[in-house]
C-alpha cells in the first residue's frame, strides 16, 4: 500500500480518535453528574466517590485516545511507521475498541458496534499499511541506465 493511501488513513484515524476523545469525556462528565445528582448509593458506595471515579475515568480515557490520535498523526506527517512503543499503544487501543465493540452490540446496538469497528479498522489499517517499525516503506528501484559506448 503506497503513501497515497497510508497518509490519509492515518490522518482520518487521528481525527476520529480526537473526536472520540471529546465524546468520551463529555459522556463521562454527564454520567458523573447524573450519579452525583441522584444521590443514591450502589451497595453502600458513596455517590460522590462514584461520581468522581466516573470523571477520572473519562479524563484518563480521553487522554489515552488523544495520545493514540497524536501517534497516528505523527505517523501520517512523517510518513514512517510508528516506533515500537507507539505500535504497542496503538495495538492496545485497537484491542480495546474490539472488546468495547463486542460489548456495545448488546448494550447500545448495532450502530455503535459498526462505529467501533470502523475505528478499529482505521487503526489496524494504519498499522498494517506502515508495516513494522524496523522496515522502511518499499521504494521502486530505478532501472539501470546502459553504459555509454566507449570512445573509439
Amino acid at each position: 500500500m503506497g503513501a497515497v493511501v497510508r497518509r490519509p488513513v492515518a490522518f482520518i484515524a487521528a481525527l476520529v480518535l480526537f473526536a472520540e476523545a471529546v465524546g468520551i469525556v463529555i459522556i463521562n462528565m454527564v454520567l458523573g453528574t447524573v450519579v452525583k445528582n441522584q444521590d443514591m448509593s450502589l451497595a453502600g458506595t458513596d455517590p460522590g466517590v462514584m461520581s468522581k471515579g466516573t470523571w477520572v475515568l473519562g479524563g484518563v480515557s480521553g487522554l489515552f485516545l488523544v495520545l493514540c490520535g497524536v501517534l497516528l498523526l505523527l505517523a501520517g506527517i512523517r510518513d514512517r511507521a510508528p516506533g515500537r512503543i507507539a505500535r504497542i499503544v496503538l495495538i492496545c487501543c485497537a484491542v480495546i475498541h474490539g472488546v468495547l465493540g463486542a460489548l456495545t452490540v448488546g448494550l447500545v446496538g448495532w450502530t455503535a458496534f459498526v462505529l467501533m469497528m470502523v475505528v478499529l479498522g482505521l487503526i489496524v489499517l494504519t498499522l498494517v499499511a506502515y508495516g513494522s517499525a524496523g522496515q522502511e516503506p518499499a521504494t521502486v528501484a530505478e532501472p539501470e541506465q546502459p553504459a555509454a559506448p566507449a570512445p573509439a
Side-chain angles (χ1 to χ4, degrees), residues 1 12-13 47-48 62-63 72 78 90 104 113 118 127 130 133-134 137 146-147 150:
M1 211 178 305
I12 291 169
L63 287 175
L72 289 171
R78 296 176 182 164
L90 291 172
T104 58
F113 172 77
V118 166
L127 289 171
Y130 278 107

Side-chain angles (χ1 to χ4, degrees), residues 18-114:
F18 291 146
E20 186 179 3
V22 171
I24 289 294
V25 170
I26 289 172
I27 287 172
N28 278 294
M29 286 177 58
V30 169
L31 288 175
T33 304
V34 167
V35 168
K36 185 177 178 184
N37 291 338
Q38 288 289 323
D39 200 29
M40 298 168 52
S41 69
L42 181 65
T45 307
D46 181 25
V49 172
M50 291 190 326
S51 175
K52 289 175 185 163
T54 304
W55 289 334
V56 169
L57 176 66
V60 170
S61 300
L63 287 175
F64 178 70
L65 290 170
V66 167
L67 170 68
C68 293
V70 167
L71 294 175
L72 289 171
L73 189 63
L74 288 175
I77 290 171
R78 296 176 182 164
D79 197 24
R80 286 194 337 225
R84 180 174 294 167
I85 301 296
R87 288 182 68 81
I88 291 171
V89 170
L90 291 172
I91 289 169
C92 289
C93 186
V95 169
I96 290 169
H97 277 86
V99 171
L100 289 178
L103 291 174
T104 58
V105 173
L107 298 174
V108 181
W110 285 101
T111 305
F113 172 77
V114 168

